[in-house]
Amino acid sequence: MKIDPEILEYNRAQSGEYQQVCDILFREISANLPEAENKIWHAHPVWFLDKNPIVGYSKQKKGIRLMFWSGADFDEDDLSERGKKFKDASIFFASVEQINTDDLIRWIQKSRDIQCDYKNLVKRKGVL
């Protein structure tokens, strides 16, 4: 898998605990989605399968937000931050102790199997 060096720069730019959270998320996502393309997209790290955004993370006031673009369909209570317009779902981490690796790996695996067709969203006039 090719690793976008801008993602590593993004992680290094985070301070203290947030940098550690980003490093764990990067490692687990990359290991469990080795076929995915990764890059900085809309200013934060995102992984894509077949040009569809699958998972990404970003620094926000509440912590590091881990977002799955189709996560609302995962049937996972911990992915409780739901998007209003799309089928995304998120969880926030303020420290590494909050990350349950087993849950993270399960969510990443679901992200491969459960995908909305975001790449054709414009062509389909906003219908997923």
Side-chain angles (χ1 to χ4, degrees):
M1 169 181 32
K2 181 182 175 228
I3 297 171
D4 187 326
E6 290 183 353
I7 293 178
L8 300 176
E9 289 176 32
Y10 179 94
N11 290 358
R12 282 193 297 266
Q14 307 310 313
S15 59
E17 192 83 13
Y18 285 0
Q19 184 179 25
Q20 293 174 15
V21 168
C22 288
D23 288 344
I24 290 170
L25 295 177
F26 173 82
R27 184 178 62 242
E28 292 300 331
I29 295 167
S30 296
N32 289 283
L33 283 177
E35 73 277 25
E37 173 191 5
N38 57 73
K39 63 182 176 182
I40 296 293
W41 190 56
H42 298 288
H44 62 271
V46 177
W47 281 254
F48 296 80
L49 290 175
D50 192 27
K51 300 187 181 181
N52 267 323
I54 302 299
V55 60
Y57 54 86
S58 63
K59 180 184 174 194
Q60 298 184 2
K61 286 182 183 180
K62 291 170 64 174
I64 301 298
R65 177 185 184 203
L66 174 66
M67 184 175 99
F68 293 92
W69 266 256
S70 301
D73 290 337
F74 290 6
D75 194 30
E76 293 281 348
D77 292 336
D78 288 336
L79 297 175
S80 58
E81 299 283 334
R82 302 292 168 98
K84 292 178 178 45
K85 188 174 180 182
F86 301 113
K87 293 190 173 200
D88 59 284
S90 303
I91 187 171
F92 285 86
F93 301 112
S95 68
V96 295
E97 290 80 22
Q98 294 175 322
I99 300 172
N100 179 317
T101 307
D102 292 336
D103 288 345
L104 179 58
I105 292 169
R106 186 177 64 254
W107 301 333
I108 293 168
Q109 290 169 346
K110 285 185 176 187
S111 74
R112 177 185 291 115
D113 299 330
I114 302 170
Q115 295 180 39
C116 295
D117 186 12
Y118 287 103
K119 72 179 177 181
N120 291 309
L121 192 61
V122 172
K123 186 188 324 182
R124 295 175 52 219
K125 298 182 176 97
V127 177
L128 284 174

